[in-house]
Amino acid sequence: LKSDDVKPGSLVRVEVDGTAICLARTEGGEFRAVADRCTHEDYSLSDGSLWDDQVECPAHGSLFDLNTGDVTGLPAFEPTRVYPVTVEDGEVVLEL
Ligand code: FES
C-alpha cells in the first residue's frame, strides 16, 4: 500500500495475513493502525470517523485513542489493539 494512496483524514481497512486492520491517516499525515473490530460489538472501525487521533465506531459511537488503543468514549470499555506502522520508501509497513 502506497502512503500517497491514503488521504490525510481518512480511514481504510487493510487485511494482513488474515488480520483486519483499521489504518488511519491523521490530518497531519501521520499513520496509525488498530484492529478493525470494535471491542463493543462486531463492527469495523474503518467504517467510522476519524477525529484527530481518535476513531469513532460507526455503530454506537465508542471512541478509541489511536496511539494507545484506550477507550475514550463509551459504550466500549475494552481497549483495542494497536499495531506499529511506519512508512518506508513511500510504502506503508505494518507490524503484526
Ligand atoms: S459496536 Fe462499536 S460502539 Fe457498539
Side-chain angles (χ1 to χ4, degrees):
L1 181 67
K2 297 243 181 270
S3 59
D4 286 350
D5 292 344
V6 185
K7 289 200 196 86
S10 69
L11 298 165
V12 291
R13 179 185 173 96
V14 291
E15 297 226 4
V16 182
D17 298 336
T19 301
I21 307 283
C22 169
L23 181 69
R25 189 167 193 191
T26 66
E27 290 289 353
E30 301 277 311
F31 283 91
R32 299 285 183 268
V34 295
D36 193 22
R37 184 181 181 283
C38 188
T39 61
H40 178 232
E41 284 177 20
D42 191 9
Y43 285 87
S44 285
L45 295 177
S46 57
D47 290 334
S49 310
L50 181 63
W51 302 104
D52 297 326
D53 53 4
Q54 297 183 86
V55 61
E56 179 179 355
C57 177
H60 315 108
S62 287
L63 283 165
F64 296 91
D65 185 313
L66 290 166
N67 297 301
T68 61
D70 289 343
V71 174
T72 49
L74 297 173
F77 57 89
E78 272 179 62
T80 189
R81 182 156 175 193
V82 175
Y83 296 95
V85 52
T86 51
V87 176
E88 288 173 22
D89 297 331
E91 293 279 341
V92 179
V93 179
L94 276 159
E95 284 173 51
L96 297 199

